[in-house]
Amino acid sequence: MKKVGLIMGSDSDLPVVQKAADKLKELGVPYEAHIYSAHRTPVQARTFAENAEDNGFGALICFAGKAAHLAGAVAAASMLPVIGVPVKSSTLDGLDALLSTVQMPSGIPVATVAIDGAANAAILAAQIIAVGEPELSRRLKDDRAKAAQTVLEKDAALGL
Ligand code: RP5
């Protein structure tokens, strides 16, 4: 099975990245995590992106806060699907990162999820990897059914 790449701009993004890693682990999707910054280590970020397809990756998730250029820079250097997770920082509540990540000019798409939307990013990456992987596809369906069951149980227990 192809791997998912988790690329964060800083180790301060780790608590958000951890949630994506946990979800991928739960779904049985292999992943590899790295710290590469679009600003502080642009050469390493680009080199990783250029070689990701040859190195067995099937989708990339980029996590960055503030002036969040990482997902766009990685997408520019790879033909793999790139998912961007805007990370909430101490100022502006993550709106800065959301706009930086989501407002990609035409031609270089980044599939942007919610601010700190790590679990959805992991599920979307797993859905991409699941094309041609029926066993993973089944696990994704089970996961969704489990989530629905949790809501139904809460509904049944609602005492209002
Ligand atoms: C971004 O700047 C990182 O992704 C991080 O979210 C933010 C702040 O980085 P640190 O100053 O905490 O290293 O590049």
Side-chain angles (χ1 to χ4, degrees), residues 18-155:
Q18 187 64 56
K19 289 183 189 144
D22 291 346
K23 192 73 202 174
L24 289 171
K25 216 178 283 174
E26 190 188 313
L27 290 166
V29 178
Y31 65 86
E32 203 179 293
H34 292 280
I35 304 169
Y36 294 129
S37 165
H39 311 281
R40 293 165 178 157
T41 60
V43 174
Q44 288 81 354
R46 185 166 182 94
T47 303
F48 175 85
E50 283 174 345
N51 296 307
E53 203 167 346
D54 287 344
N55 286 335
F57 291 93
L60 304 173
I61 308 178
C62 297
F63 303 79
K66 299 190 173 175
H69 297 128
L70 184 60
V74 165
S78 174
M79 290 307 291
L80 291 173
V82 174
I83 301 164
V85 182
V87 175
K88 183 174 170 172
S89 62
S90 50
T91 52
L92 301 178
D93 277 339
L95 191 59
D96 43 0
L98 173 64
L99 296 178
S100 303
T101 307
V102 81
Q103 288 286 53
M104 283 298 291
S106 293
I108 309 291
V110 167
T112 305
V113 296
I115 296 167
D116 289 353
N120 265 1
I123 293 167
L124 182 55
Q127 287 175 327
I128 292 165
I129 302 287
V131 176
E133 295 277 356
E135 197 40 45
L136 175 57
S137 189
R138 191 193 53 75
R139 286 200 293 276
L140 279 159
K141 276 186 198 135
D142 288 350
D143 190 56
R144 208 177 264 201
K146 224 188 297 168
Q149 187 56 35
T150 305
V151 176
L152 293 173
E153 282 165 16
K154 285 181 180 170
D155 175 58

